[in-house]
Structures are given as structure tokens and as C-alpha cells.
Amino acid sequence: MKVIVKCPEVLRYVAFAAVLIVCMAPVVSAPVALVLGFGFSFLLGHPAPHLNQKAINWLLKASVVGLGFGINATGALAAGKQGFELTLYSVLVTLVLGALIGRFLHLAPKVSHLIASGTAICGGSAIAALAPVLRVNEKEMSVSLGTVFLLNAAALLVFPVLGHWLHLSQFQFGLWSAIAIHDTSSVVGAASAYGAEALEVATTVKLARALWIVPVAFVSSFAFRTGNRQVQLPWFIGLFVAAVLFNSFVPGVAALGEQVVWLSKAGLTVTLFLVGAGLSVDKIKAAGWRPLLLGLMLWVLVAAVSLWGILLL
């Protein structure tokens, strides 16, 4: 997609930095930041698209670790226990349905598996971790990432609205968003817009869900006979756990926790601005309708079934 408004490169950098700083203000919510990012990229173009994904990756991890300083270990453990069973079922069912629906839609098996894994575990992070294990090519990787990325952005905007419409409690929404939304950035963004308790539950359950990357990658290497069983561990989850423990048991840390959590929430909002800035009409077109249909069907099924299970708790 061509840039609509032309401006000097320096002014584009300045404008980008200005909007990014504005996104750090408490009045700018996560969904608004996402839309601002997309709007800026659509109108003026991203000034440094080659750095966008790297910035998202590191800023998201730092923000998630910082959020740990606002979470109590006892509450986190209770939320993790209640979310484990739902997470287990959702991961297994999503992977199986992804293979079956992908075959029906005549998609390449590796593409179906990447989209299903991104839906079941943690979006783009799961796809990036599985790509070297499955030895996928660049096209398979980009199609899978594009599909999950688009649905992930939609989830950030839709889920808080649905949560209020369904009158979900803070705990219910946090658990639901952690299971049914793809990427950690949108899970935390949607939950933070819903409330503090929802954020605590969502962050804990989501990061526990991300650990499924390891067994899924190991099994995938056998299923696709690649012989490559190496997978990068989500090390920042360990730092998040350490932050929770420090906040809960080390005297004096909790006093600084509020400032760290505020900075982390601001960092998360900036992350979602960058996510929106990385979205383009060209990416939407490149994904194609069949991968999008697979991703949409899996997403709706996971969201509906997990919500039903949560309401029965």
C-alpha cells in the first residue's frame, strides 16, 4: 500500500516519536494505541519498518516482566491452577481441529499447523518458535504470521466490548482473554482495559499457556519428521515469575511496584502502537482468504468453547 500523504523523512520520524510519546499517557487505551499505529502507518508510512518487530519483541518482554511487580504470588498461583485445565483442552482441541479444517480448505499442512499453534498457544511467538523446528519457507511463515496478526488485532478491539456486554467478572474476563486471544500483547492490552484483577489473571494464565510452545514443538518435530527438536525457551517468563516473587516476599519492593507497573503499562500501550504501525493493507491481501478463514474459524471456536467452560466454573 502506497503512502497517501507525502512528507520529509525527518518530519515523519518526529511525528512518529510524538504520537508514540502521546501513547504513554494514561488517557490512551491499548485499543486506541493500536488504531493510532495503523492510522499513522496508513497515512504517512512507518519511518523504520525494519526495526518495528525487534522493538515490539523487546518492549513487550520488558513490559510483561514489569507487570509482575504488581501481582501477588498467592493470587497468581490460584489463577494458574484454574486456568491449567482449560488451557490443556484448548491447546489439544485447537491443534486437532486446525489439521482437519486445514485439510478441508486444501492448505499446506505446515501452514495449518502454524496457524493452529499460534491460535492455541501465543500467536506470533509460537509461530516464530515453531518455524525453525518445522523448517518452513518464508511464504509459509509470512502467511501464518499475517493471519494470526490480523485476528489478534481484532481481538484486542472486540473482546473488552464483548466482556462488558456479557457482564463477565474481572476474573472471568482475564481467564477468557488469556485462553482465547493470540498474542501476549493483545491479551494484556485487552485485560488492562477491563480492570486490574483481569490484568493479573490474564497475564499469569497467558504466560503459563506460552510454555506449551516447548512440548508442541517437540511433538511437531516427530509429526512432520524434520528431526529438528530445538526450540527457544520463553526466558522472559522466568523473569516475570521472579518479579512476582520479589513483589510478594521481599520487603520494600512492593513500595516501588506501583511506579514499575505504571511504566510497564505505558510500555505495553506503546507496544500496541507499534503493532498497529506494522499492520498494512498489503499484509491483509497477502494472507489470502483460506488461511484467514482457518484462523477465524479456530479463533471463534476457541473463544466460544472456552467462554462456555469459564461460565461453568
Side-chain angles (χ1 to χ4, degrees), residues 261-313:
V261 170
W262 181 86
L263 285 173
S264 299
K265 288 182 178 180
L268 176 68
T269 307
V270 172
T271 300
L272 290 166
F273 169 75
L274 295 176
V275 169
L279 182 61
S280 67
V281 177
D282 291 335
K283 285 186 177 180
I284 298 175
K285 292 179 179 179
W289 70 269
R290 287 186 298 175
L292 277 176
L293 180 59
L294 171 61
L296 181 61
M297 291 175 70
L298 290 176
W299 179 40
V300 171
L301 285 169
V302 170
V305 174
S306 60
L307 177 60
W308 174 73
I310 289 167
L311 292 176
L312 291 178
L313 288 177

Side-chain angles (χ1 to χ4, degrees), residues 3-313:
V3 176
I4 295 177
V5 180
K6 294 183 179 180
C7 69
E9 194 68 19
V10 175
L11 289 181
R12 190 180 303 168
Y13 273 100
V14 172
F16 189 83
V19 178
L20 189 147
I21 292 171
V22 168
C23 286
M24 297 181 68
V27 294
V28 179
S29 65
V32 170
L34 183 81
V35 174
L36 282 174
F38 176 73
F40 188 98
S41 183
F42 182 80
L43 292 174
L44 299 176
H46 198 307
H50 59 290
L51 298 176
N52 199 63
Q53 191 55 47
K54 185 176 290 186
I56 290 172
N57 182 43
W58 286 104
L59 189 55
L60 172 62
K61 290 176 179 177
S63 299
V64 167
V65 172
L67 290 174
F69 287 98
I71 296 177
N72 180 269
T74 304
L77 187 60
K81 284 182 177 179
Q82 288 194 273
F84 177 80
E85 189 173 349
L86 281 171
T87 299
L88 172 61
Y89 291 143
S90 68
V91 168
L92 295 177
V93 171
T94 304
L95 292 177
V96 172
L97 287 177
L100 294 175
I101 298 173
R103 181 175 295 183
F104 176 77
L105 293 173
H106 303 291
L107 284 171
K110 288 184 179 180
V111 172
S112 299
H113 187 64
L114 286 176
I115 293 173
S117 298
T119 304
I121 306 173
C122 54
S125 299
I127 292 173
L130 286 172
V133 176
L134 298 179
R135 295 176 179 169
V136 299
N137 57 43
E138 185 177 347
K139 182 179 180 181
E140 291 171 326
M141 177 82 164
S142 61
V143 166
S144 304
L145 283 173
T147 299
V148 170
F149 186 83
L150 292 172
L151 297 176
N152 186 61
L156 174 64
L157 302 173
V158 171
F159 266 62
V161 176
L162 288 177
H164 288 296
W165 182 67
L166 294 168
H167 302 291
L168 297 181
S169 68
Q170 292 279 315
F171 178 83
Q172 288 174 327
F173 184 83
L175 190 54
W176 186 41
S177 60
I179 293 173
I181 300 180
H182 306 79
D183 281 340
T184 304
S185 57
S186 285
V187 170
V188 179
S192 64
Y194 207 79
E197 183 185 347
L199 176 61
E200 179 175 336
V201 173
T203 305
T204 305
V205 176
K206 177 61 181 176
L207 294 184
R209 179 182 165 200
L211 293 174
W212 282 93
I213 291 175
V214 179
V216 168
F218 188 74
V219 173
S220 299
S221 68
F222 284 100
F224 289 88
R225 299 178 182 178
T226 61
N228 187 359
R229 302 184 185 99
Q230 295 181 351
V231 59
Q232 185 176 357
L233 293 173
W235 53 266
F236 72 99
I237 296 178
L239 294 180
F240 169 80
V241 172
V244 173
L245 294 176
F246 268 91
N247 179 67
S248 304
F249 303 113
V250 177
V253 173
L256 298 174
E258 290 186 12
Q259 288 75 22
V260 176
V261 170
W262 181 86
L263 285 173
S264 299
K265 288 182 178 180
L268 176 68
T269 307
V270 172
T271 300
L272 290 166
F273 169 75
L274 295 176
V275 169
L279 182 61
S280 67
V281 177
D282 291 335
K283 285 186 177 180
I284 298 175
K285 292 179 179 179
W289 70 269
R290 287 186 298 175
L292 277 176
L293 180 59
L294 171 61
L296 181 61
M297 291 175 70
L298 290 176
W299 179 40
V300 171
L301 285 169
V302 170
V305 174
S306 60
L307 177 60
W308 174 73
I310 289 167
L311 292 176
L312 291 178
L313 288 177

